[in-house]
Amino acid sequence: MIFDSLEAYKQAGFKPRACILGSGPAGTTIARKLGAAGIPVVVLEAGSREFSDESQDFYRGKTVGDFYFDLDITRLRFMGGSSNHWAGWCRVLDSQDFEPKAWAPDTGWPISRADIEPYLGEVHGILELPAFRPDVQVSDDIRWVQLIKSPAVRFGEKFADELDQSKNIAVVLNTYATELIGDGKRVTGAKLWSNGQDAGTFSADYFVTCTGGLENSRLLLWSNQRSNGGVVPNAAALGRYWMEHPTFEGGNAILDNYSEFEVDASNEAFFSPTLAAMERLQIMNFGIRLIESPYPNVKKLIADLACAAPNMAEWMSSQLDQRLRCAAQLYVAWEQAPLASNQIELSKTDVDPAGVPRIELHWKKSPLERRTLLEGLRLFGTTMAQKNLGRVRIDDWISNGGDYPTNEETAGHHHMGGTRMGTDVLKSVVDANCKVHGMDNLYVGGSSVFCTSGQCNPTTTITALACRLGEHLGKVIAV
């Protein structure tokens, strides 16, 4: 059942056991799992069925530190959440991403890749994915990896009919949970805002916040402040360890034979480091994306490089009449290490129309991220040269330690951390089952529970974790 207003929902007399806040990939997936288990669940979605400037305004905020996107642009506030601007890139976090790294403090998860693998078949159905190909070792340091571009599932569109026809799921649109009320052991209710005004208090046996990788922290920070610690009793890490995937053009490559690599439908190939290489260089995970350029660009690139990199130009010229066929642009997206100083705070001066403080995001890339970018490109270039597959030119601003450009991709719009998973209550917010430490009935879904970011787009892992949480919560409620 889908209701366009809180008033219509109340008239239906639906009695939920669980309340999910947010209808994006995590919220919708958990709701479908609970509904399939016969458990009545309500999903409260702050936006409507379609995008609106009025709804989007609630997401305005401020970033302190490095250049970043406007916060009301980098996520979406209507049914389906930010899946509505998802590009569709899919890959699950690597097994090594779940393991602690001795050179990067506060890495490591309380679960392993094996804990989410039982749900990957279900995830493939949700995201409409074929099976992934195994990674291919290119050298001791570099492996070919597969990213799959799914049809970019819009959760609000794909599952609208199923949700509307469900007897166990109620989706209530235009209903914003501004605050959770808690007593230090349980959430006893949620304060709502609807149709531009206070809409009273809502109660359920269980609550799951799935409002996104920024809003989960905002909601819990504000709720905790209002309840004097009654919603997140162990709040030392709340809002902290926020992460993104820095993403920039890293340079160019001239390839001896582009057909050496398996490419996707867009003729692109993807590469990542081995764990051994990461350990040796003490860097984080990264992904290099080769985008083929037209053949005429090869000669132009040789001419451009003849003075700046004569050895590279000489090799390219010698190959040109043989098998040399293409140039490629190199784009790099890489893992940001978890730092407590990268955090979401509540503004002390600015509030949204419902009176909730807006976000002040503190975000800076560390020297470890800079080293990962430079050493990652060098590693890839060394492998290409040693295997005689091609030659790589790294952009000058990277080689010379220049400032990060502000006219490129910047980052992936991937919001991770803030309510991270863990066993140490001083460095995490939820446990291995995504339950808030010290609370009996409050859970968190989505990428805000990520402990580390890996190098790949997060939606596939978000969905797998949501399947796992939905199954776990169903068992808890059924007891």
Side-chain angles (χ1 to χ4, degrees):
M1 299 170 280
I2 299 178
F3 301 92
D4 288 315
S5 69
L6 183 62
E7 293 77 13
Y9 166 77
K10 289 179 177 179
Q11 291 173 9
F14 187 77
K15 302 295 184 183
R17 292 293 312 281
C19 175
I20 296 172
L21 308 179
S23 67
T28 295
T29 299
I30 295 167
R32 294 178 65 241
K33 293 285 284 188
L34 293 178
I39 296 170
V41 56
V42 62
V43 179
L44 303 182
E45 168 54 52
S48 64
R49 295 176 189 261
E50 304 291 341
F51 175 92
S52 75
D53 291 332
E54 179 182 5
S55 180
Q56 205 63 25
D57 178 76
F58 282 78
Y59 277 172
R60 283 196 296 109
K62 175 183 178 182
T63 300
V64 178
D66 285 355
F67 173 80
Y68 194 60
F69 311 110
D70 291 341
L71 298 187
D72 57 328
I73 300 299
T74 191
R75 59 249 172 87
L76 292 172
R77 192 177 186 267
F78 64 102
M79 186 173 171
S82 291
S83 72
N84 288 296
H85 66 189
W86 179 43
W89 290 111
C90 293
R91 181 176 171 83
V92 188
L93 285 176
D94 296 327
S95 296
Q96 64 197 37
D97 294 326
F98 291 87
E99 302 301 323
K101 313 284 188 300
W103 62 93
D106 299 324
T107 51
W109 293 55
I111 64 172
S112 69
R113 165 69 182 264
D115 290 302
I116 64 172
E117 285 180 353
Y119 306 96
L120 295 184
E122 188 174 356
V123 170
H124 280 228
I126 293 170
L127 300 181
E128 302 176 19
L129 300 176
F132 283 95
R133 295 281 303 280
D135 298 347
V136 177
Q137 202 90 350
V138 179
S139 70
D140 291 341
D141 294 331
I142 293 292
R143 57 203 168 97
W144 172 92
V145 300
Q146 186 182 33
L147 270 73
I148 298 175
K149 194 168 186 181
S150 85
V153 171
R154 310 302 184 211
F155 278 68
E157 296 176 7
K158 176 173 180 175
F159 298 109
D161 289 344
E162 176 187 331
L163 295 172
D164 200 25
Q165 294 167 16
S166 174
K167 300 302 181 185
N168 292 323
I169 304 172
V171 179
V172 187
L173 304 175
N174 304 300
T175 303
Y176 172 29
T178 59
E179 176 187 336
L180 297 176
I181 305 164
D183 61 12
K185 290 190 177 298
R186 295 183 62 82
V187 170
T188 57
K191 291 187 177 181
L192 304 184
W193 176 269
S194 181
N195 295 322
Q197 61 184 3
D198 186 336
T201 302
F202 184 89
S203 62
D205 295 334
Y206 295 86
F207 285 85
V208 189
T209 67
C210 299
T211 57
L214 288 165
E215 291 299 306
N216 277 347
S217 291
R218 179 192 185 200
L219 171 63
L220 294 178
L221 284 165
W222 178 235
S223 300
N224 221 37
Q225 181 176 313
R226 296 276 289 172
S227 64
N228 295 315
V231 173
V232 185
N234 301 287
L238 180 57
R240 295 184 178 273
Y241 300 100
W242 192 83
M243 300 166 290
E244 246 278 17
H245 285 137
T247 306
F248 291 90
E249 185 172 358
N252 307 93
I254 294 293
L255 303 175
D256 185 44
N257 186 356
Y258 201 78
S259 63
E260 289 280 348
F261 313 115
E262 182 175 336
V263 297
D264 63 12
S266 300
N267 217 25
E268 298 176 2
F270 303 88
F271 303 87
S272 284
T274 62
L275 179 58
M278 293 168 59
E279 290 176 335
R280 185 178 77 251
L281 296 172
Q282 297 197 336
I283 59 176
M284 305 303 288
N285 206 348
F286 63 84
I288 289 182
R289 176 184 176 193
L290 263 67
I291 304 177
E292 186 179 13
S293 301
Y295 177 65
N297 287 1
V298 177
K299 291 185 177 181
K300 181 179 184 303
L301 188 56
I302 291 175
D304 291 343
L305 291 174
C307 295
N311 291 338
M312 181 176 174
E314 181 179 354
W315 175 87
M316 290 188 293
S317 297
S318 69
Q319 297 291 313
L320 189 59
D321 293 328
Q322 299 176 32
R323 294 182 300 159
L324 194 62
R325 289 295 178 267
C326 66
Q329 295 171 287
L330 301 180
Y331 285 85
V332 190
W334 67 100
E335 178 179 18
Q336 183 171 24
L339 295 176
S341 57
N342 284 330
Q343 63 181 311
I344 296 157
E345 296 184 358
L346 298 176
S347 172
K348 295 179 174 59
T349 58
D350 197 7
V351 298
D352 70 17
V356 179
R358 295 188 185 275
I359 286 174
E360 185 173 284
L361 174 64
H362 293 254
W363 182 62
K364 288 185 71 68
K365 297 181 285 295
S366 75
L368 179 53
E369 276 87 66
R370 189 63 182 240
R371 188 166 80 243
T372 297
L373 171 62
L374 178 58
E375 295 300 331
L377 283 165
R378 285 174 172 168
L379 196 70
F380 182 71
T382 298
T383 288
M384 292 294 104
Q386 288 178 344
K387 298 293 182 178
N388 207 32
L389 295 169
R391 296 296 187 270
V392 167
R393 182 192 67 84
I394 300 174
D395 276 352
D396 290 342
W397 71 268
I398 300 173
S399 300
N400 300 334
D403 293 337
Y404 286 97
T406 58
N407 60 345
E408 292 191 16
E409 286 187 58
T410 300
H413 298 279
H414 303 157
H415 309 150
M416 298 163 286
T419 68
R420 70 198 310 250
M421 186 187 293
T423 56
D424 184 347
V425 297
L426 296 178
K427 295 185 176 182
S428 63
V429 175
V430 302
D431 66 15
N433 290 316
C434 297
K435 185 169 73 69
V436 172
H437 293 308
M439 296 296 283
D440 295 334
N441 68 339
L442 178 58
Y443 293 78
V444 180
S447 55
S448 67
V449 307
F450 281 27
C451 305
T452 52
S453 57
Q455 58 84 14
C456 65
N457 304 53
T459 302
T460 314
T461 306
I462 289 171
T463 309
L465 287 170
C467 288
R468 180 174 179 267
L469 173 53
E471 181 175 288
H472 170 78
L473 190 56
K475 293 176 181 177
V476 170
I477 295 174
V479 172

